[in-house]
């Protein structure tokens, strides 16, 4: 059965990939994030732009390509996200 | 104190609703999740509803002393609580609950103008029962999906609140029986069951928004 993911869960997946599952220290490429977070290019571009503008991700320019890594605010957001996912799970809900 | 059980129930309801509401608000402010926003409205409404009724009983106990709580205060508190139960059920996507036809929507509110405040109270009690039963069933189903033990406690809590609401309504048939007291005790246990999993959430590790602390 296909699992429906909320916008919040997709953001959680992207942030956790950039925190726990990086290709190298410089960050993750868009292609890598697309594969790991299982999301289309157009959609992830919009989300990455928002996450960078909100300060949750840092954009690193390396050898002509953009890479993304999690910021300190992003780590704190991810921690809150996991905590309140458990909270919402108790009510049978998804945040 | 004449209304001891009622006072305990409404105070516990106020505190539990407030605690879960604050927790939901912190979650909403830290994540921006619409689900947590709906839970915030739900539990603050439930908390305010219990507080209104508790205030009514306290006024009756210490000031008015007529032997019975003002009917309109009780009705107002129950209506506010029902709004809270609605938002819990709404979070479970209760979209089919609304009448789709424009005709039904137009007459849906009309009967409220034809009934007395006692009947309004009964209507809202029965709506609360339906919403709570729906919430309990959906939460139980979610337990079967992700096996989260906290969901069982919340489902039991909602089910007990629903059962307590039903017994409270049924006690009007047997006014002098023990049914009403039993319904109050069941609702208190339900509220505690609702709070148990929430109390285990480790909030201390989270760095809150600067203006929230």
């Amino acid at each position: 059965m296909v699992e429906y993911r909320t916008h919040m869960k997709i953001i959680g997946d992207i942030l956790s990939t950039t925190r726990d599952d990086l290709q190298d220290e410089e960050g993750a490429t868009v292609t890598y994030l697309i594969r790991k977070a299982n999301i289309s290019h157009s959609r992830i571009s919009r989300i990455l732009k928002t996450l960078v503008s909100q300060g949750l991700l840092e954009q690193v320019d390396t050898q002509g390509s953009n890479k993304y890594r999690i910021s300190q605010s992003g780590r704190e957001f991810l921690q809150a996200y996991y905590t309140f996912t458990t909270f919402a799970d108790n009510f049978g809900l998804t945040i | 104190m004449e209304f001891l059980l009622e006072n305990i129930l409404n105070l516990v309801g106020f505190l539990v609703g407030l605690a879960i509401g604050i927790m939901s608000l912190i979650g909403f402010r830290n994540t921006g999740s619409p689900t947590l926003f709906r839970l915030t409205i739900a539990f603050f409404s439930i908390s305010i509803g219990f507080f209104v009724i508790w205030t009514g009983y306290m006024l009756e106990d210490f000031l008015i002393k007529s032997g019975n709580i003002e009917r309109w205060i009780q009705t107002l508190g129950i209506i506010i609580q029902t709004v809270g139960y609605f938002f819990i059920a709404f979070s479970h996507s209760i979209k089919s609950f609304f009448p789709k036809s424009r005709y039904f929507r137009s007459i849906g509110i009309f009967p409220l103008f034809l009934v007395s405040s006692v009947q309004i109270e009964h209507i809202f009690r029965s709506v609360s029962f339906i919403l709570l039963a729906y919430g309990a069933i959906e939460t139980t189903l979610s337990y079967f999906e992700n096996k989260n033990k906290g969901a069982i406690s919340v489902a039991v809590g909602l089910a007990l609140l629903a059962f307590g609401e039903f017994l409270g309504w049924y006690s009007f048939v047997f006014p002098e029986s023990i049914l009403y007291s039993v319904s109050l005790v069941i609702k208190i246990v339900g509220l505690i069951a609702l709070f148990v999993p929430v109390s285990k959430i480790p909030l201390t590790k989270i760095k809150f928004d600067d203006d929230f602390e």
Side-chain angles (χ1 to χ4, degrees), chain A residues 8 79 83 89-94, chain B residues 31 35 92 142 148 150-151 154:
Chain A
M8 190 65 69
Q79 194 181 11
T83 302
D89 276 350
N90 287 331
F91 290 91
L93 300 168
T94 311
Chain B
T31 63
T35 304
H92 287 287
S142 84
N148 181 351
V154 170

Side-chain angles (χ1 to χ4, degrees), chain B residues 30-164:
Chain B
N30 277 271
T31 63
S33 160
T35 304
L36 293 175
F37 180 66
R38 283 192 288 271
L39 279 183
T40 305
I41 297 176
F43 282 101
F44 277 145
S45 293
I46 291 168
S47 179
I48 293 167
F50 276 113
F51 181 75
V52 166
I53 300 174
W54 178 68
T55 308
Y57 277 112
M58 292 304 276
L59 287 175
E60 173 54 40
D61 258 346
F62 295 106
L63 282 177
I64 305 168
K65 295 179 180 172
S66 68
N68 217 338
I69 183 176
E70 287 282 335
R71 181 59 62 189
W72 69 269
I73 294 181
Q74 175 113 341
T75 305
L76 179 68
I78 286 169
I79 290 172
I80 298 171
Q81 281 178 39
T82 307
V83 171
Y85 298 142
F86 167 77
F87 274 97
I88 292 178
F90 182 63
S91 297
H92 287 287
S93 305
I94 191 173
K95 296 183 182 91
S96 57
F97 201 74
F98 294 103
K100 288 190 173 60
S101 144
R102 186 177 290 179
Y103 169 72
F104 281 119
R105 270 200 299 251
S106 64
I107 65 163
I109 199 165
F110 186 62
L112 290 179
F113 296 105
L114 303 176
V115 291
S116 72
S117 69
V118 178
Q119 288 166 317
I120 289 175
E121 184 188 320
H122 288 207
I123 289 167
F124 277 94
R125 274 188 190 278
S126 52
V127 170
S128 291
F129 170 75
I130 293 166
L131 295 172
L132 284 165
Y134 179 84
I137 292 166
E138 285 292 327
T139 313
T140 307
L141 288 176
S142 84
Y143 167 76
F144 290 121
E145 279 175 20
N146 54 25
K147 302 290 177 195
N148 181 351
K149 285 178 185 169
I152 278 293
S153 185
V154 170
V156 168
L158 291 175
L160 286 174
L161 280 174
F163 187 51

Side-chain angles (χ1 to χ4, degrees), chain A residues 9-27:
Chain A
K9 181 149 175 43
I10 292 170
I11 289 173
D13 287 348
I14 292 171
L15 288 176
S16 66
T17 302
T18 57
R19 189 187 68 175
D20 307 326
D21 208 5
L22 276 183
Q23 291 162 295
D24 54 58
E25 286 182 2
E26 289 175 334

Side-chain angles (χ1 to χ4, degrees), chain B residues 3-19:
Chain B
F3 301 107
L4 182 64
L5 263 182
E6 285 89 344
N7 278 326
I8 293 172
L9 166 71
N10 290 301
L11 198 57
V12 170
F14 164 63
L15 293 174
V16 168
L18 189 66

